[in-house]
Amino acid sequence: MAESKKEQAPNNGAGTRRRGDVLENAILQAAWDELETTGYNRLTMEAVAVRAQTNKTAVYRRWPNKAQLIIAALIKFAPKPSLEAADMGDLRTDVVTFLQGIFKPLQAIGPETIHGIMSEYPGKEHPMSKPLPPRSEDALFAAMKAIVGNAEKRGELQPDRLPERVISLPIDLLRYEMLTTHGSVSEDIVVQIVDELFLPLVRASVQGE
Amino acid sequence: MAESKKEQAPNNGAGTRRRGDVLENAILQAAWDELETTGYNRLTMEAVAVRAQTNKTAVYRRWPNKAQLIIAALIKFAPKPSLEAADMGDLRTDVVTFLQGIFKPLQAIGPETIHGIMSEYPGKEHPMSKPLPPRSEDALFAAMKAIVGNAEKRGELQPDRLPERVISLPIDLLRYEMLTTHGSVSEDIVVQIVDELFLPLVRASVQGE
DNA sequence: AGAGTACGGTACGTACCGTACCCTATATGA
DNA sequence: TCATATAGGGTACGGTACGTACCGTACTCT
């Protein structure tokens, strides 16, 4: 009667036991689903495991904590902005298009998740923990540089006159806005950033000084 | 022997039981100390209560959760930037001075605490929860506006030509930097923001258009 | 076939949350 | 002055989630 540990339900009726990438993908998919339905704060490792039809052990074998797991899920499933620097023959159009492409993905992730990750992610010494990439390796920044580079080739502005801060300004501000504005950010913020800040700075670097 | 609940240690030997503001201040002080020594993430309500030599009940009677408690502690104890708009007869000097005054306090609070609060603070419906102030009521923004106003009076720039985004730009960027840059942010970021972004935009608004 | 590896499943100890409960000191006012 | 309401002190509890240990078992690889 003691109902010993032997009571292990046959997995599916057949002995189909997932391993390796199959299991890993199932967990990440579960994490992504759970993130979308429950939100970061209330998401638990156990819920992810249950949804993936496995158990916490299998999850912890791969990621040391919630933040790492969710980062992995984001990398795999979150909508990515296209990093192709649109080259439409006009700097303003290119930048606006690019920023608008960032807008949706950032919004999809949402401030709760970002704050949660940033909060729980101390870069602690854990065998499995990967550090967040430094600013200079930011893919979005690289894309902006490419866009500016195209404009330089076209002669819209003189080469190497734009400080890096100007180039990263649109991304930084957009991120800040998405991070601090709970509720809804209107999409015309992109146009504002470009027309009221970025382009005037570009013009200033051409004429002045 | 049963050691019933009657075993209540006399508070100090004398019946000095703190109430009202005295107790409230003790708790906030304890929260602040705990925040400095332990950090936001590992801070617990119980630890605060113990440090204040009281118990969780007294804490929860006043603040519904950690985020609210810490916000109250920050308001009471965190170093505040002076909101006096320095008026030294030069826009650049005024803005740099002002931003440098913000730098230290922001750094003292630290990204961990800010992210933690932003993460746990959903603006939920709780009788005791106060909403975060909207952007337009931002005291720092008001101070920047005052500084710009002084410059207008001096004739350094024409009135009402500066978009609000330009005015809030230095604060926004500084905040973003403090929020995302773990580790140390160099203080000359202030000068960069002013010289590479803000002042060029001011000049552009005077000349251009 | 044999051995190592990794999954499945359970159970556990810990930590913290938020609340209920009761007792007691203090403030208040009839 | 004494009764009463209020609020602090103290404890204990149920609940949730964490992260790990343990063990049996399916799968993989050679």
Side-chain angles (χ1 to χ4, degrees), chain B residues 30-41:
Chain B
W32 174 249
D33 293 347
E34 201 69 15
L35 184 65
E36 288 210 309
T37 60
T38 320
Y40 185 85
N41 287 330

Side-chain angles (χ1 to χ4, degrees), chain B residues 19-193:
Chain B
R19 289 182 166 264
D21 288 345
V22 180
L23 181 56
E24 177 159 331
N25 289 336
I27 295 174
L28 287 177
Q29 178 72 58
W32 174 249
D33 293 347
E34 201 69 15
L35 184 65
E36 288 210 309
T37 60
T38 320
Y40 185 85
N41 287 330
R42 312 198 315 172
L43 178 147
T44 74
M45 298 296 259
E46 181 128 32
V48 171
V50 168
R51 188 187 280 264
Q53 303 190 65
T54 177
N55 52 289
K56 279 191 292 180
T57 315
V59 179
Y60 277 108
R61 265 197 272 265
R62 293 171 167 78
W63 302 276
N65 53 52
K66 189 164 110 173
Q68 296 280 337
L69 168 62
I70 296 305
I71 287 175
L74 288 177
I75 289 175
K76 192 167 180 62
F77 292 105
K80 305 266 179 312
S82 113
L83 297 179
E84 306 295 319
D87 193 357
M88 305 184 168
D90 170 41
L91 178 59
R92 181 180 186 278
T93 311
D94 285 358
V95 175
V96 167
T97 309
F98 175 63
L99 290 183
Q100 280 172 342
I102 299 177
F103 187 85
K104 286 257 169 65
L106 261 187
Q107 196 172 244
I109 297 179
E112 176 188 337
T113 301
I114 299 180
H115 278 127
I117 290 175
M118 302 280 273
S119 169
E120 291 183 21
Y121 196 104
K124 283 279 173 55
E125 315 305 334
H126 188 289
M128 285 174 167
S129 75
K130 299 172 191 168
L132 289 174
R135 262 320 237 311
S136 55
E137 299 176 8
D138 188 334
L140 298 187
F141 178 70
M144 271 298 295
K145 263 216 293 226
I147 291 176
V148 170
N150 290 337
E152 288 173 350
K153 276 183 217 146
R154 270 184 251 115
E156 283 192 77
L157 51 90
Q158 293 154 31
D160 304 325
R161 293 291 294 271
L162 231 42
E164 293 213 332
R165 270 206 186 281
V166 174
I167 298 178
S168 71
L169 170 66
I171 305 169
D172 292 346
L173 262 195
L174 187 56
R175 281 176 170 155
Y176 178 75
E177 208 78 21
M178 309 295 287
L179 214 56
T180 55
T181 310
H182 291 236
S184 55
V185 188
S186 167
E187 195 159 355
D188 56 1
I189 187 195
V190 167
V191 177
Q192 284 183 29
I193 290 176

